[in-house]
């Protein structure tokens, strides 16, 4: 049965959420329980570089009368002249998970994050001799996509820091991009990734564009308009303008760019579990129903699980 909310009772929509299948803290079952108690109506599961959680999320969403939008957060990089390559996270909604080019890109990203994490551990061992790659693997869910939060979790486990957030936010954090131990992710060009997502029937949306926390990869200082135009030419459909880590002045620039090019704008929490990112609770930022409708129209690669009518 499709639920329709009464007038003035808008749906709460959060389209960027992680589980333990990547670097979040909650298993999919724990996550769904938390989503229900946070009062969300519609959610997307967007684990880094994988779709494994989709089936269980769809099944549990149905049981809990939630609407579920299958998603992925793909690791890519921006390459613009005069700047070192910088990390770009690309959200993809409703792509066909069996598309060969998409599958190959995701598998390569997971593999390269595994190799990167191993290299990172080798460097960190200079300062933390007790840290081992085996420990990192043991604490992460088997076969999950590895990220820096997994390194942080291992350092907390060893008693070196009090919390994952402390590891990221410590002065001279050992895992920040300025750390001598830092190893960057190797990833495909965002322009190629956008084309692959579109070919797989998905809706590509740039995640937390130009987020400028001390922990993020080497982001451009000013708004790289040409780069955004190239992404639009490649088939970009939306920008996640409303995210805790996107500075307010950048948000304004992005909103005006989105209006100029007719792009979708979204808002999301980027929840990873409160033990990992306490400042990003579920539903912290939300997406409007109008924008969700456009995503549902344009995303043709797989079916959402809808418990509401839109
Ligand atoms: P990576 O892509 O492996 O370099 O790591 C980026 C991941 O670290 C993203 O999923 C972020 O959400 C996460 N992250 C960034 N800053 C923090 C923080 N202060 N606390 C916890 N996780 C963070
Ligand atoms: Zn993450
Ligand atoms: Fe991200
Ligand atoms: Fe994320």
């Amino acid at each position: 049965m499709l639920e329709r909310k009464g007038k003035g009772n808008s749906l709460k929509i959060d389209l960027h959420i992680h589980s333990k299948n990547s670097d979040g803290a909650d298993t999919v079952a724990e996550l769904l329980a938390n989503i229900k108690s946070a009062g969300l109506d519609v959610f997307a599961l967007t684990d880094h570089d994988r779709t494994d959680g989709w089936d269980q999320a769809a099944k549990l969403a149905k049981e809990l009368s939630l609407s579920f939008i299958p998603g992925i957060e793909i690791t890519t990089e921006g390459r613009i002249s005069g700047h070192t390559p910088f990390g770009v996270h690309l959200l993809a909604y409703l792509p066909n998970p069996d598309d060969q080019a998409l599958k190959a890109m995701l598998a390569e990203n997971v593999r390269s994050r595994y190799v990167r994490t191993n290299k990172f551990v080798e460097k960190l061992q200079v300062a933390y001799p007790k840290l081992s790659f085996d420990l990192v693997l043991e604490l992460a869910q088997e076969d999950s996509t590895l990220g820096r939060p997994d390194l942080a979790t291992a350092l907390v486990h060893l008693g070196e820091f009090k919390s994952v957030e402390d590891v990221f936010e410590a002065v001279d954090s050992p895992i920040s991009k300025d750390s001598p131990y830092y190893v960057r992710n190797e990833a495909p060009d965002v322009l190629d990734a956008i084309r692959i997502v579109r070919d797989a029937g998905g809706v590509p949306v740039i995640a937390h564009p130009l987020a400028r926390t001390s922990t993020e990869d080497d982001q451009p200082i000013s708004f790289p308009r040409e780069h955004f135009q190239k992404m639009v030419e490649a088939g970009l459909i939306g920008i996640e303008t409303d995210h805790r880590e996107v500075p307010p002045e950048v948000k304004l620039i992005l909103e005006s760019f989105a209006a100029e090019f007719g792009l979708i704008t979204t808002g999301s929490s980027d929840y990873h579990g409160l033990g990992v990112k306490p400042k990003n609770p579920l539903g912290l930022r939300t997406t409007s129903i109008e924008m969700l409708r456009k995503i549902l129209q344009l995303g043709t690669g797989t079916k959402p699980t809808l418990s509401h009518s839109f």
Side-chain angles (χ1 to χ4, degrees), residues 277-295:
K277 288 189 106 177
K279 294 193 191 110
N280 295 44
L282 287 163
L284 176 70
R285 305 290 169 89
T286 54
T287 295
S288 73
I289 193 160
E290 290 75 23
M291 294 299 172
L292 176 63
R293 281 193 193 113
K294 291 187 191 179
I295 291 172

Side-chain angles (χ1 to χ4, degrees), residues 16 18 22-24 46 48 73 89 113 147 149 270-272 276-277:
H16 185 164
H18 296 271
S22 60
D23 54 6
T46 54
H48 296 283
E73 186 175 14
H89 286 179
R113 276 178 168 276
D270 202 358
Y271 175 84
H272 280 71
V276 174
K277 288 189 106 177

Side-chain angles (χ1 to χ4, degrees), residues 208-210 223 228 239-242 246-247 249-260 263 265:
H208 48 70
L210 309 172
F223 177 65
F228 274 78
I239 309 181
E240 185 186 57
T241 51
D242 194 12
V246 174
E249 68 279 11
V250 175
K251 180 170 182 263
L252 290 178
I253 297 170
L254 294 167
E255 281 169 347
S256 97
F257 182 84
E260 185 181 343
L263 301 176
T265 53

Side-chain angles (χ1 to χ4, degrees), residues 44-305:
L45 178 66
T46 54
D47 274 311
H48 296 283
D49 303 306
R50 65 199 315 144
T51 63
D52 313 47
W54 288 6
D55 288 348
Q56 200 190 354
K59 180 176 162 283
L60 295 174
K62 219 175 265 174
E63 289 173 19
L64 295 168
S65 299
L66 295 164
S67 289
F68 162 61
I69 314 298
I72 318 166
E73 186 175 14
I74 305 174
T75 312
T76 77
E77 64 184 30
R79 298 173 191 161
I80 53 184
S81 59
H83 195 285
T84 50
F86 55 98
V88 176
H89 286 179
L90 182 71
L91 294 161
Y93 298 111
L94 299 159
N96 174 5
D98 298 319
D99 178 88
Q100 283 309 315
L102 178 66
K103 266 174 99 163
M105 175 169 65
L106 298 181
E108 177 55 24
N109 278 354
V110 172
R111 192 198 66 82
S112 108
R113 276 178 168 276
Y114 186 93
V115 172
R116 175 246 197 171
T117 304
N118 196 358
K119 276 190 205 151
F120 218 136
V121 166
E122 279 172 14
K123 289 181 136 189
L124 284 164
Q125 278 167 341
V126 174
Y128 307 99
K130 285 198 188 127
L131 182 68
S132 69
F133 190 44
D134 281 346
L135 176 66
V136 173
L137 293 177
E138 197 184 306
L139 296 174
Q141 179 170 287
E142 204 182 330
D143 191 37
S144 76
T145 309
L146 299 175
R148 280 182 290 161
D150 296 297
L151 292 169
T153 299
L155 290 172
V156 172
H157 181 86
L158 292 172
E160 299 287 354
F161 292 84
K162 280 208 208 71
S163 70
V164 168
E165 199 185 29
D166 283 350
V167 187
F168 274 98
E169 292 184 359
V171 181
D172 295 330
S173 163
I175 60 172
S176 86
K177 72 162 199 328
D178 301 320
S179 156
Y181 314 121
Y182 186 80
V183 182
R184 52 187 296 276
N185 277 317
E186 308 246 346
D189 189 324
V190 65
L191 300 177
D192 294 328
I194 287 169
R195 290 183 199 107
I196 288 173
V197 169
R198 286 300 295 271
D199 287 347
V203 179
V205 174
I206 297 296
H208 48 70
L210 309 172
R212 242 175 271 147
T213 61
S214 58
T215 52
E216 282 299 326
D217 222 330
D218 202 10
Q219 299 292 311
I221 301 299
S222 61
F223 177 65
R225 187 180 162 87
E226 231 180 275
H227 170 65
F228 274 78
Q229 276 175 325
K230 278 192 187 148
M231 292 197 290
V232 172
E233 279 160 29
L236 185 68
I237 288 177
I239 309 181
E240 185 186 57
T241 51
D242 194 12
H243 182 288
R244 191 181 66 81
E245 287 141 82
V246 174
E249 68 279 11
V250 175
K251 180 170 182 263
L252 290 178
I253 297 170
L254 294 167
E255 281 169 347
S256 97
F257 182 84
E260 185 181 343
F261 288 89
L263 301 176
I264 288 174
T265 53
T266 65
S268 305
S269 66
D270 202 358
Y271 175 84
H272 280 71
L274 294 181
V276 174
K277 288 189 106 177
K279 294 193 191 110
N280 295 44
L282 287 163
L284 176 70
R285 305 290 169 89
T286 54
T287 295
S288 73
I289 193 160
E290 290 75 23
M291 294 299 172
L292 176 63
R293 281 193 193 113
K294 291 187 191 179
I295 291 172
L296 289 169
Q297 271 163 17
L298 294 166
T300 55
T302 192
K303 289 254 176 294
T305 300

